[in-house]
Amino acid sequence: MSAKTLEVDLLIIGAGPAGLMAAAWASRCKLKTKIIDEKNARVRTGQADGLHCRTLEIMDSFGSPSIAHEILGQACVIKEISSWNPKEGCEEHIERTESVRSGEEDLPGSRYPQVSLSQGGVEQAFLNFLERDGDMVRVERNLTPMKLRVEEALMDDHDAYPVEVYLRELAKDERAGSPDSAASENSATEVVRAKYVLGTDGAHSWTRKALGLQMEGDTTNKHFGVMDFIPLSNFPDIRISCAIHSSSGSIMTLPREDGLVRFYVQLGESSAKGSTFDRSKVTPDDIIETSRKILQPYTLDYSHCDWFSVYTVGQRLARSFSHLDRVFLAGDAVHTHSPTMGAGMNVSMQDSYNLIWKIATAIRTGNREILATYNTERMVTAKELIEKDRAMSNFYCDGPSANSKRYQEFREAFRDFVSGVAVEYSPSLLTSSAKISNGCGDGKDSQQHLQQIYSKPSLASNLTLGQRIPSYYVTNHFTAEVIPIHTAFKSTGQWRLLLFPGDLRNPTNNSILRTLGHKLSASTSFIHTCTPSSSPIDSVIEILTIHTTNPRTLVSALDLPDIFHPWSPTRGHDYFKIFARDTENGDDIYKAFGIDEDRGCAVVVRPDMHVGYIGELEDLESVRKYFERILKLKGEREGA
């Protein structure tokens, strides 16, 4: 029987956290998507387990019911981290030397804590979301890829499906083990023709190997045992995350759901770098026995081991995250490292989150230039991950040190990056600069194009171009509901133009905003030319207004131009786009962003919540140029 053929916008190979994040995003962006996995079910035990505040923000952005809230209902919240070191005068025993607040929810503009939950629990939350979402993106299991072919002549054809992937359904006797790598192409059961392919298929990525991409880096001779178990112990911080250094080795602990605790235990070193370490001989009892020596004078036993493994410390990175901007890689498929920093699953999911809206934009507009920013933006993040993981691995492998005894000071160098809030993307097609950029594309025309648009970051001095916009409370002008501004940034693929006009009782401010409204409403404005005529006016670029009038009821917002509260003949006005600053539930958003309310400003927020542009409130020309170079004019698209 001949293989069936399917055409899709996006094929995702691998249904771990990075692949499921991509599937959720693709579902919300209405992409025709197929996601496959060799395994017959999600992860049941073990693997990654730490989630940081930025990841939870992203999960919440997919809407209600919230993936983040489902996870928080099961996860263990990490509120404190204890540092333990050899006891003064009794080196074979340990003592607590510091207690450090985890405090990710205290970071500027953050609202979620650090939590821990098994990778299987995270995957299930995404699977539940896909089941609820209406676009019928479902994981298809027991499918293995066999061949990938890229038709380079079709790369620039917007309507083409230039990537072919041959798939084979695994036989029942293969599903418990490894697929038969010797199976011939003729055994393929399906041929998928895709506009784009994303490989999220792990450290041994088939997709990466099919592209001929190599991982570069090294593996050390240092080995750790990792174990999820229910501890029986008199160690006082057994339910606190700990960094433990002793004369017998090091342990990192993480409390988990259902009474579990994860231990990362230093097992020692091979006799020489590159020598063989027989992981198969390590048992849970071996890990516990080593832990007992490190934890002296405290006792340790266990009643149940949920999962254990052994890893060798190493850091490796692929040279590129994409091939011809048609086949992409994310997560462990392009960067591998130790789990000691607890950032891997988060960075992997944020890879996917950076990419999928760009694919959706390229499909909708025909502008493929933005796809090159995936490699440039995420490569920098991955390199920083590798560097910081190497430093953190050394921290645990090198034993008691000045850093271990000043843990809070040491941790400060990692916290913002690990939390995800400090990730910053350099100037590019998507992120304007206060000074001339060298561009991110190839050729003089691309660079000249980028140099036409400059931001004025001093107008919002506490925002950083290229970073995710922080979240502070605002009050809905019409409903009086107080919300974090992030809840208005749903992951639907929309861009946001934030207007900060100050106090609308001021005649000048009011006049400026009304003039802006009339210009934005005009049929020649970029709001119209970047939006398909058959779509709602806010479906591509959503305008959100945040004013400082107090009390807000002194302004009749419905008297403002309709572009600020679009009218629908079936639903009436949109009452969820105008806000007043809130001063009773934390920081004033104007002060938090560093905005002078007498001058105001405009801020463009990308679909992934990163700041793309900051400019004068009245400078619509620069905003127009910013959007038109990314979201091609409707007339150009229709005539293409």
Side-chain angles (χ1 to χ4, degrees), residues 85-95 245-248 293-294 296 400 405:
N85 283 280
K87 187 175 182 179
E88 292 287 340
C90 184
E91 293 290 306
E92 66 271 20
H93 288 180
I94 59 171
E95 65 177 355
H245 288 82
S246 83
S247 57
S248 298
K293 295 175 183 176
I294 297 170
Q296 291 184 67
K405 294 175 182 177

Side-chain angles (χ1 to χ4, degrees), residues 267-544:
L267 297 179
E269 300 183 9
S270 307
S271 57
K273 186 174 178 180
S275 62
T276 301
F277 180 81
D278 193 348
R279 297 163 41 147
S280 66
K281 292 184 178 179
V282 177
T283 67
D285 285 343
D286 293 330
I287 297 173
I288 292 295
E289 184 57 36
T290 301
S291 301
R292 288 188 183 119
K293 295 175 183 176
I294 297 170
L295 286 175
Q296 291 184 67
Y298 302 104
T299 61
L300 179 68
D301 210 330
Y302 68 101
S303 64
H304 167 70
C305 173
D306 197 56
W307 175 80
F308 80 100
S309 185
V310 177
Y311 72 87
T312 301
V313 175
Q315 294 84 22
R316 305 183 73 200
L317 181 67
R319 283 189 174 184
S320 177
F321 289 13
S322 66
H323 177 68
L324 300 173
D325 290 329
R326 285 287 186 173
V327 183
F328 301 89
L329 298 164
D332 287 353
V334 279
H335 45 73
T336 61
H337 44 84
S338 80
T340 48
M341 200 165 60
M345 178 167 60
N346 298 264
V347 174
S348 295
M349 288 190 282
Q350 289 165 31
D351 285 346
S352 299
Y353 190 68
N354 177 279
L355 173 66
I356 299 303
W357 69 270
K358 296 175 181 178
I359 290 177
T361 301
I363 288 174
R364 184 176 61 80
T365 66
N367 179 11
R368 297 186 61 250
E369 188 179 0
I370 66 170
L371 296 171
T373 65
Y374 171 68
N375 190 74
T376 54
E377 291 183 343
R378 296 309 294 174
M379 178 67 78
V380 172
T381 302
K383 286 180 177 178
E384 186 170 359
L385 170 66
I386 293 293
E387 291 170 3
K388 282 182 162 48
D389 179 72
R390 186 174 288 113
M392 184 63 78
S393 295
N394 291 338
F395 170 76
Y396 282 103
C397 292
D398 292 347
S401 65
N403 281 333
S404 71
K405 294 175 182 177
R406 295 196 300 268
Y407 180 69
Q408 182 166 4
E409 181 181 330
F410 173 76
R411 182 173 177 268
E412 283 299 312
F414 295 82
R415 187 183 68 161
D416 287 1
F417 175 80
V418 172
S419 71
V421 302
V423 171
E424 181 179 337
Y425 299 141
S426 299
S428 71
L429 181 69
L430 300 175
T431 303
S432 67
S433 173
K435 55 186 177 181
I436 294 177
S437 166
N438 288 327
C440 84
D442 294 323
K444 294 181 180 179
D445 289 342
S446 176
Q447 293 183 15
Q448 186 178 10
H449 199 184
L450 291 177
Q451 292 172 5
Q452 296 174 3
I453 304 158
Y454 309 107
S455 276
K456 293 185 178 179
S458 61
L459 296 174
S461 58
N462 294 334
L463 294 182
T464 300
L465 286 161
Q467 278 190 3
R468 128 289 192 203
I469 192 168
S471 189
Y472 293 94
Y473 283 95
V474 294
T475 301
N476 183 299
H477 184 94
F478 295 105
T479 70
E481 181 184 11
V482 177
I483 63 167
I485 192 61
H486 270 192
T487 63
F489 301 153
K490 295 304 181 190
S491 288
T492 57
Q494 288 168 292
W495 297 73
R496 271 89 192 186
L497 174 58
L498 273 57
L499 302 178
F500 294 89
D503 189 344
L504 294 179
R505 292 174 300 177
N506 181 312
T508 300
N509 296 358
N510 198 300
S511 176
I512 288 172
L513 186 64
R514 288 177 181 277
T515 300
L516 279 175
H518 293 310
K519 289 180 178 179
L520 291 167
S521 300
S523 60
T524 55
S525 83
F526 61 87
I527 297 294
H528 286 272
T529 59
C530 291
T531 304
S533 57
S534 59
S535 300
I537 193 60
D538 60 352
S539 61
V540 176
I541 303 169
E542 182 179 37
I543 301 171
L544 301 179

